[in-house]
Amino acid sequence: MTTASASMGLIVVGAAGRMGQTLVRTIAEIDGVHLAGAIERPGSAALGRDAGELAGLGPNGVLISDDALPAFAAAEGVLDFTAPAATLEFADLAAQARIVHVIGTTGMDASHEARLEAASRHARIVKSGNMSLGVNLLSVLVRQAARALQAADWDIEVLEMHHRHKVDAPSGTALLLGEAAAQGRGIGLGQHSVRVRDGHTGPREPGAIGFATLRGGSVVGEHSVILAGEGETIELSHKATDRSIFARGAIRAALWARHQKPGYYSMLDVLGLSGQ
């Protein structure tokens, strides 16, 4: 393992996917980090291929493997935008290796938290529904707005759109923003969210936080939080046009977590916004 002053060795899991390839390219662009391993699921057609070549960089000597354990033992951090079941396994490995685990995986729910909390006793876990600076700043603004505008007079709706291939809904970012709104109101999101409206639904329940989901094309990610009052509407929005914003945020999180104690952190901690 490298010293704290040396370049940080990072593993990309799901290295053959769109986000994985983006991570490989972004690591190559940022000083202070290098690609230490590239992992794919057993049976992947990408196994044995050069990760740099697959990502369009040209050969970098890092071959894609399905054997995560030795890669984790030799690196300082792992960047993970995979699937919930895989992320839980990687969290266990990160805890065993006592390294940084940055989790951008979406579709996770409360049932996964206990295992991640257990892993964070030994690993430095940074988990967020969105790794971009802009979205995390937006979440702070949403929380402040929800706190300032009373539920009796202002309705909150979260609108999101993503590409046709996204499999979970609402998106992790939409849930992050909905949670920020719920925190601002001092309520639990699970008990006050409305995910589906169809047919004769009756009037809107006061204090509810609504979600609307759109899917289509190649949209990277668009999110809006609408606060609707009598005679006026406030809209707080973020539009992602390039997946590299998530990759840069994940690498920033890894470099920050490298110097922290084992624990369970968020991007708000990384950006110094957790107390806002």
Side-chain angles (χ1 to χ4, degrees):
M1 187 173 293
T2 58
T3 64
S5 60
S7 174
M8 184 178 187
L10 297 174
I11 301 163
V12 173
V13 293
R18 286 176 299 174
M19 191 63 208
Q21 292 180 47
T22 300
L23 288 164
V24 170
R25 289 191 295 270
T26 307
I27 288 170
E29 297 169 357
I30 293 179
D31 292 336
V33 294
H34 66 274
L35 185 66
I39 304 299
E40 260 297 341
R41 67 188 182 281
S44 169
L47 294 178
R49 292 193 59 182
D50 186 286
E53 187 173 43
L54 184 62
L57 294 174
N60 62 9
V62 178
L63 302 183
I64 298 176
S65 169
D66 61 1
D67 190 1
L69 185 59
F72 276 54
E76 287 190 85
V78 55
L79 308 180
D80 179 2
F81 290 73
T82 58
T87 290
L88 293 178
E89 293 182 9
F90 293 136
D92 291 342
L93 290 175
Q96 183 177 334
R98 298 178 182 268
I99 62 174
V100 172
H101 186 191
V102 177
I103 302 174
T105 302
T106 59
M108 304 192 78
D109 57 40
S111 68
H112 303 125
E113 291 301 311
R115 191 159 160 188
L116 294 178
E117 289 280 2
S120 73
R121 290 199 289 268
H122 301 291
R124 304 167 191 87
I125 293 178
V126 181
K127 177 176 173 288
S128 178
N130 192 297
M131 291 288 167
S132 84
L133 170 61
V135 161
N136 283 279
L137 177 58
L138 177 62
S139 73
V140 173
L141 298 175
V142 168
R143 185 165 64 244
Q144 292 173 340
R147 183 182 299 123
L149 303 174
Q150 296 300 311
D153 301 316
W154 292 83
D155 301 318
I156 299 177
E157 294 285 318
V158 182
L159 173 66
E160 57 107 340
M161 183 169 185
H162 284 83
H163 53 87
R164 64 169 64 96
H165 303 291
K166 188 167 180 60
V167 298
D168 57 300
S171 70
T173 304
L175 294 173
L176 181 153
L177 296 172
E179 186 62 46
Q183 290 171 0
R185 289 271 168 90
I187 60 176
L189 181 62
Q191 296 75 41
H192 294 85
S193 66
V194 176
R195 307 288 181 88
V196 178
R197 294 188 179 103
D198 186 31
H200 186 75
T201 61
R204 192 183 197 282
E205 182 179 343
I209 297 173
F211 290 84
T213 298
L214 306 177
R215 293 287 179 267
S218 59
V219 176
V220 174
E222 299 179 4
H223 296 85
S224 295
V225 178
I226 300 167
L227 298 101
E230 290 294 333
E232 57 183 331
T233 300
I234 299 169
E235 186 170 344
L236 302 170
S237 300
H238 179 272
K239 181 180 292 186
T241 57
D242 187 338
R243 283 184 180 81
S244 68
I245 65 171
F246 312 127
R248 290 194 298 271
I251 293 167
R252 179 170 176 173
L255 287 167
W256 175 87
R258 185 189 199 189
H259 304 295
Q260 307 305 313
K261 297 185 296 185
Y264 198 176
Y265 303 99
S266 74
M267 278 300 287
L268 294 182
D269 295 310
V270 175
L271 300 172
L273 297 172
S274 58
Q276 302 299 312

